[in-house]
Amino acid sequence: MGEIIDGYKFEQRHGKSRVRVARVWRNKEDGVHSFAEWSVDISLLSDCLSAYVHSDNSDIVATDTMKNTVYVKAKECSEQVSMEEFAIVLAKHFTSFYPQVTTAIIKIVEKPWERCYIDGQPHKHGFKLGSEKHTTEVVLTKNGALRVTSGIEGLSLLKTTQSGFEGFVRDKNTILPETRERMLATEVSASWRYPFESLTSIPVKPLYFTNMYLDVKKVLAETFFGPPNEGVYSPSVQATLYQMGKAVLGRFPDVSFIQLKMPNIHFLPVNLSSKDNPVIVKFQDDVYLPTDEPHGTIEASLSRVLSKL
Ligand SMILES: O=c1[nH]c(=O)c2[nH]c(=O)[nH]c2[nH]1
């Protein structure tokens, strides 16, 4: 990519960001409403150099038109779709409708509206805001090469025991005691790639990507916590992150790559004393000072090794 213009290597793209759209699907038979709120980022790679170099806008797809297209396509989705599917619909439109568009990059973040339960019963049209967010990025080229990535952001997980940290490097700057009993808290960001390389290889099951998102989220949380009664011991954030990534790749053949970012959010033991009162509060794995900063940053990615057949 990139061309030499006036002796310079030149690359460009343009698009519209933070296009917010909400869509309701009303089931006529049972009266149940489904709802999604998305923030869409569109970025198009297109042949419109003249706009930059010769002030000629004749090849430019206006970003205002891109914004309108989001609402047009949302209207056309008469059945509920996952946001990955919606991103694919948009990418398909931009790459097939405009001769000069060579690649479309569509990113969407979903606002975590969840159906409300009243007296244990799902409400037909009531929703409340949850916390973690579903994300996606779809890249589609004019010749049909596709990449679908999905993710989760802001999945806050905490366990009050079954975590420790021992055997790390000790030097003259080290004061952290070794422990087999500590709090473990993190805010997981994950993104995973699907192996589908063209539009025809996308599964046709309704809400396939939405269900995958829910299943991946479940496996991440289950692996972090372990079984409900006994849990599972975490010797480090690193080891737990690796188990979580491995569990996702092991469970879902349709995930070819996963990246995990898991900050270590510290809960500091509280010990209070003074000259006159040597022990006001003695830490016994009970009172903590929660902190956001500084925090550890631990990230890794795992992908399948392609076997040479
Ligand atoms: O699980 C941990 N990993 C680290 O790399 C680290 N570093 C640290 O100070 N505490 C921890 N905990």
Side-chain angles (χ1 to χ4, degrees), residues 18-23 66-77 86 90:
R18 308 279 290 265
V19 182
R20 295 182 59 180
V21 57
R23 179 66 158 105
M66 299 180 201
K67 180 257 297 168
N68 294 345
T69 306
V70 170
Y71 299 104
V72 170
K73 292 294 170 189
K75 177 86 182 172
E76 284 174 13
C77 287
F86 187 65
L90 289 172

Side-chain angles (χ1 to χ4, degrees), residues 164-165 176 182 235-238 264 266 298:
F165 189 56
L176 185 71
R182 67 173 183 174
S236 64
V237 175
Q238 283 87 338
N264 188 6
H266 306 301
I298 289 128

Side-chain angles (χ1 to χ4, degrees), residues 122-271:
H123 200 281
K124 286 190 169 176
H125 54 259
F127 298 83
K128 71 175 170 52
L129 202 55
S131 47
E132 66 275 0
K133 289 180 179 164
H134 181 179
T135 64
T136 190
E137 182 189 73
V138 165
V139 182
L140 181 67
T141 66
K142 198 184 257 339
N143 58 20
L146 175 71
R147 193 179 73 200
V148 183
T149 308
S150 294
I152 186 162
E153 267 171 25
L155 176 64
S156 292
L157 304 177
L158 177 152
K159 57 182 192 166
T160 50
T161 186
Q162 286 283 49
S163 161
F165 189 56
E166 300 171 286
F168 48 89
V169 175
R170 298 209 79 85
D171 57 42
K172 64 184 174 37
N173 295 340
T174 308
I175 55 166
L176 185 71
E178 309 218 345
T179 183
R180 288 189 66 80
E181 179 60 57
R182 67 173 183 174
M183 189 94 96
L184 184 61
T186 188
E187 189 181 305
V188 180
S189 299
S191 68
W192 56 92
R193 207 170 289 159
Y194 292 95
F196 317 125
E197 290 180 346
S198 67
L199 293 171
T200 49
S201 51
I202 297 283
V204 284
K205 286 183 232 160
L207 299 179
Y208 164 83
F209 289 105
T210 304
N211 291 324
M212 276 295 293
Y213 167 77
L214 295 172
D215 290 347
V216 169
K217 179 163 72 167
K218 193 157 166 269
V219 167
L220 290 174
E222 280 172 5
T223 312
F224 179 87
F225 292 121
N229 291 328
E230 57 272 26
V232 63
Y233 183 71
S234 164
S236 64
V237 175
Q238 283 87 338
T240 296
L241 179 155
Y242 177 64
Q243 290 302 325
M244 290 162 73
K246 219 167 73 147
V248 171
L249 289 185
R251 190 76 72 84
F252 305 108
D254 278 356
V255 174
S256 56
F257 163 93
I258 182 162
Q259 180 187 51
L260 286 160
K261 295 183 184 181
M262 291 178 44
N264 188 6
I265 296 172
H266 306 301
F267 282 73
L268 308 179
V270 171
N271 282 294

